[in-house]
């Protein structure tokens, strides 16, 4: 269980570390004003990128768990022989 918590913490750190520079770069490049509702909506649509990135990280997490389970099964089979 400790491996899963470590992996979740690392993936969460990656999401946060990607979000802050991404948000700042959008604000600077497109000269968005955070007090303007129209600009906030533009940032919302640009934030869909982060949603897809989060989905990708979930897939990485699932891949890690599945390969870990398969490796454990293979190791147990090798020990029995």
């Amino acid at each position: 269980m400790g491996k899963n918590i470590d992996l979740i913490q690392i993936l969460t750190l990656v999401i946060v570390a990607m979000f802050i520079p991404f948000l700042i770069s959008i604000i600077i490049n497109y000269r968005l004003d955070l007090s303007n509702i129209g600009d906030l909506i533009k940032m919302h649509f640009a934030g869909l990128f982060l949603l897809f990135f989060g989905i990708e990280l979930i897939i990485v997490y699932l891949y890690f768990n599945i390969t870990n389970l398969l490796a454990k099964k293979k190791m147990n089979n090798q020990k029995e022989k």
Side-chain angles (χ1 to χ4, degrees), residues 53-68:
F53 183 72
I55 291 170
E56 179 184 351
L57 289 179
I58 289 171
I59 291 170
V60 168
Y61 176 74
L62 291 174
Y63 173 77
F64 175 79
N65 281 333
I66 291 169
T67 56
N68 190 23

Side-chain angles (χ1 to χ4, degrees), residues 14-75:
V14 168
I15 289 174
V16 171
M18 289 283 296
F19 178 73
I20 294 170
F22 181 72
L23 185 63
I24 292 171
S25 68
I26 288 175
I27 291 170
I28 291 171
N29 286 329
Y30 297 111
R31 295 183 181 100
L32 299 178
D33 182 14
L34 296 178
S35 63
N36 187 354
I37 298 294
D39 288 346
L40 288 176
I41 292 172
K42 289 177 189 175
M43 285 176 45
H44 174 319
F45 289 121
L48 290 175
F49 166 78
L50 295 175
L51 176 67
F52 293 125
F53 183 72
I55 291 170
E56 179 184 351
L57 289 179
I58 289 171
I59 291 170
V60 168
Y61 176 74
L62 291 174
Y63 173 77
F64 175 79
N65 281 333
I66 291 169
T67 56
N68 190 23
L69 289 174
L70 293 175
K72 282 182 183 179
K73 282 185 182 179
K74 195 178 266 189
M75 291 293 286

